[in-house]
Amino acid sequence: MGKKTTIYDIAKKLNITAATVSRALNDNPRVSQATKELVVKTAAEMNYEQNRLALALKSGKSMNVGVIVPYINRNFFSTIIRGIEEELYPMGYHVIICQTHDEAKREKETVQNLLNAQVDGILMSLATDSEGEEHFKQVLKKNVPLIFFDRKKNVVGASSVCIDDFLGGFEATQHLIEQGCKRIAHLALNRSLDVYKNRFEGYRKALKKNGLEFNEQYIIELESDFEAGKEAAEKLMKLDPPPDAIFSATDHGALGAIKYIKSKGVKIPDQVCVVGFSNEPFTQFMEQSISSVDQSPLEMGKKAARVFLEQLEQKGKEKIVKEVVLTPKLEIRQSSLRNI
Amino acid sequence: MGKKTTIYDIAKKLNITAATVSRALNDNPRVSQATKELVVKTAAEMNYEQNRLALALKSGKSMNVGVIVPYINRNFFSTIIRGIEEELYPMGYHVIICQTHDEAKREKETVQNLLNAQVDGILMSLATDSEGEEHFKQVLKKNVPLIFFDRKKNVVGASSVCIDDFLGGFEATQHLIEQGCKRIAHLALNRSLDVYKNRFEGYRKALKKNGLEFNEQYIIELESDFEAGKEAAEKLMKLDPPPDAIFSATDHGALGAIKYIKSKGVKIPDQVCVVGFSNEPFTQFMEQSISSVDQSPLEMGKKAARVFLEQLEQKGKEKIVKEVVLTPKLEIRQSSLRNI
């Protein structure tokens, strides 16, 4: 291994004194925030890793940030994580990722575990069946910033970054109505989570605004994704009359529905239009591409990271909680675009 | 929150004394390994979390295991991680995931970072440009088990779990030859990594065995995946004669090649057969499904976790290093199956 970077190397590079570098790295209030950030960034660039533990011990920071998601293998979540890393890595932070497999029990354990591992912040998305607030309160009690992204809970002291799911649901449904669809089914997921509730409410609002009847039979709440999407489509296509469009709250649900519908020789989009939600990459890869609502996950991750950094700066002062809402974007593709 | 589980609850459930439970949890040599495992498993099931930190402090264990992969958003890697979790979670271990974005610099930092975070073991797959051994030696010097999966390095003291990539490359190429293909191109990735070198060698061996000429022009080493696969296909299809088959060392490379070939009106599999590697889910989802070599990632993850647990048991005794090699399985689908 090469020669280790010292604070003298960093000082030379930035043309400041080694004492200032040391103070900056130790979060001394006599150094401005701008200088601190510059020093931390430069230290990271110059590979000042070796002394990071000593720094962490002195400053009481681990320079680790914990990120918790239901599943790492959803493009939506892995892209959010990439966004978080893109913002935090240049600031000297390392991101530790944990998945809950969408289970409330694991969510609790993982939060506790990350606290034990002394992370400087927790950025997370809820498990579908998440329950209680005690584990979140423990985080905040330790003065560790807690930022929810996408699936959030209203906990006093926690911040959040989400998209406007209501608008996403509304626009997807409005688009289907504009394609001439009149009997629009909706595949929901657990509506005790805000994200799925709001997509459903957006769907309802669009029906109402266009004078279309709301039909409870056309609403199916999926327990899982791909397979459940197939089964839901089977149920729906047996109705009399069957729906002429499906707005699914997830892309995997839409994919399952499409597979079933095609297997029955029913034409998409001529007989049934389909729109998904999340804009997972496979929606583009398919030979017949799938319309979907994009949730700008990269931006969501970056924004969550920036909220975390802001909260760190407020340490000691009064905490300002942020609630950021991003705008979704409907990507219209072959599965719902009729030649009209 | 409900009443906390105590060691008395665990003792009652297992019909042993609380002292035995306590000794088992503290890794006391007077308790058999079987009892220790049973107690740890039961404690995890009964939510004995709250006391985990105390346990960790007493035993010198953090009960955290670090897993490092190039990218979390590849199904191959996320499935390995799931396999690791399925084995370790019932034993009371939590898995912390880090991604290197396939960069050597981040790999070094991440290993250091996980050591700082006091993990009990590191299970990892190399970055493509991984260099040096110093960071791996540091892990082993601290008596922390190091297990490579898939992309491994031969470091004294480290174990590994891989598939037989040579066999995978050989069988994919043999299959293409049996479809009547004679001019088989190969899309490789960085062959300084064993996995890609061995897939290439397997390909060469199959050509040789069948008396087919090896043509250097038909070998393209991709720098990335999907886009590079497109460009590679463009180059290959301009050759005279162009290849009548492509064996790609990655599924994303195969996907890019297929997209380009189809856009030129060339028929798959009639004019060009294509086989990928990794059996990513999209290879099945495609309307024309893609043949691919399955690497049994779930089994690979479970096996790596079991090797880790074995190494823990050997603590203090002489370390036995394991090299596990799993057998790949060729999944033949529409992109390479001719009606012959």
Side-chain angles (χ1 to χ4, degrees), chain B residues 94-227:
Chain B
H94 282 89
V95 169
I96 284 176
I97 307 158
C98 297
Q99 59 181 343
T100 62
H101 294 265
D102 219 7
E103 290 171 18
K105 176 170 176 282
R106 290 217 191 180
E107 175 185 295
K108 280 185 194 171
E109 291 168 0
T110 303
V111 167
Q112 188 61 53
N113 195 46
L114 288 175
L115 283 181
N116 292 348
Q118 314 285 333
V119 292
D120 295 335
I122 294 182
L123 285 65
M124 67 178 292
S125 199
L126 293 178
T128 308
D129 60 348
S130 174
E131 51 179 30
E133 296 199 356
E134 199 49 50
H135 50 311
F136 303 131
K137 285 184 180 157
Q138 275 186 44
V139 177
L140 296 164
K141 214 161 61 188
K142 289 202 172 186
N143 211 19
V144 171
L146 175 64
I147 294 108
F148 291 109
F149 50 82
D150 191 48
R151 303 176 176 185
K152 68 167 177 165
K153 187 152 204 163
N154 291 320
V155 178
V156 178
S159 290
S160 64
V161 181
C162 300
I163 64 151
D164 188 337
D165 287 285
F166 179 89
L167 182 64
F170 180 86
E171 289 188 343
T173 311
Q174 181 68 32
H175 157 68
L176 289 168
I177 294 168
E178 282 163 13
Q179 298 300 305
C181 304
K182 297 202 182 321
R183 301 183 306 279
I184 302 169
H186 177 52
L187 307 186
L189 251 78
N190 190 334
R191 277 171 285 171
S192 64
L193 280 182
D194 282 352
V195 290
Y196 300 119
K197 193 184 79 189
N198 292 339
R199 288 171 202 178
F200 167 71
E201 295 294 350
Y203 154 83
R204 261 180 91 137
K205 178 68 187 285
L207 293 188
K208 197 172 173 190
K209 193 188 156 216
N210 290 274
L212 291 177
E213 194 194 349
F214 172 73
N215 184 342
E216 190 67 56
Q217 281 195 302
Y218 286 161
I219 310 299
I220 296 187
E221 195 161 301
L222 309 182
E223 300 231 332
S224 68
D225 263 354
F226 179 71
E227 285 302 327

Side-chain angles (χ1 to χ4, degrees), chain A residues 1 44-45 47 49-50 52-53 62-64 72-75 77-79 81-82 85-86 89 94-99 101 103 105-106 108-110 112-114 116-117 134-135 138 226 252 255 259 262 282 284-288, chain B residues 1 44-45 47 49-50 52-53 62-64 72-75 77-79 81-82 85-86 89 94-99 101 103 105-106 109-110 112-114 116-118 134-135 138 226 252 255 259 262 282 284-288:
Chain A
M1 291 181 63
E45 284 167 5
N47 237 335
E49 255 62 42
Q50 266 39 53
R52 216 167 53 80
L53 184 58
S62 70
M63 299 306 281
N64 282 331
I72 54 169
N73 69 346
R74 293 297 162 91
N75 182 69
F77 290 120
S78 66
T79 307
I81 292 170
R82 181 156 59 84
E85 288 177 331
E86 283 183 11
Y89 182 71
H94 282 89
V95 169
I96 285 175
I97 307 158
C98 297
Q99 57 182 345
H101 295 266
E103 289 170 18
K105 177 169 175 283
R106 289 218 191 182
K108 280 185 193 170
E109 291 168 2
T110 303
Q112 188 61 52
N113 195 46
L114 288 175
N116 292 348
E134 200 50 49
H135 50 311
Q138 274 185 45
F226 179 71
H252 286 85
L255 180 65
K259 283 264 165 181
K262 285 193 175 174
F282 71 78
Q284 285 170 268
F285 285 162
M286 303 292 292
E287 300 209 359
Q288 184 182 47
Chain B
M1 292 180 64
E45 283 166 5
N47 239 333
E49 255 61 42
Q50 267 39 54
R52 216 169 52 81
L53 184 60
S62 70
M63 300 306 280
N64 281 332
I72 53 169
N73 69 347
R74 294 298 161 91
N75 183 69
F77 290 120
S78 66
T79 307
I81 292 170
R82 181 156 58 86
E85 288 177 330
E86 283 183 11
Y89 182 72
H94 282 89
V95 169
I96 284 176
I97 307 158
C98 297
Q99 59 181 343
H101 294 265
E103 290 171 18
K105 176 170 176 282
R106 290 217 191 180
E109 291 168 0
T110 303
Q112 188 61 53
N113 195 46
L114 288 175
N116 292 348
Q118 314 285 333
E134 199 49 50
H135 50 311
Q138 275 186 44
F226 179 71
H252 286 85
L255 180 66
K259 282 265 166 180
K262 285 194 175 172
F282 71 78
Q284 286 171 266
F285 284 161
M286 303 292 292
E287 301 209 359
Q288 184 183 47

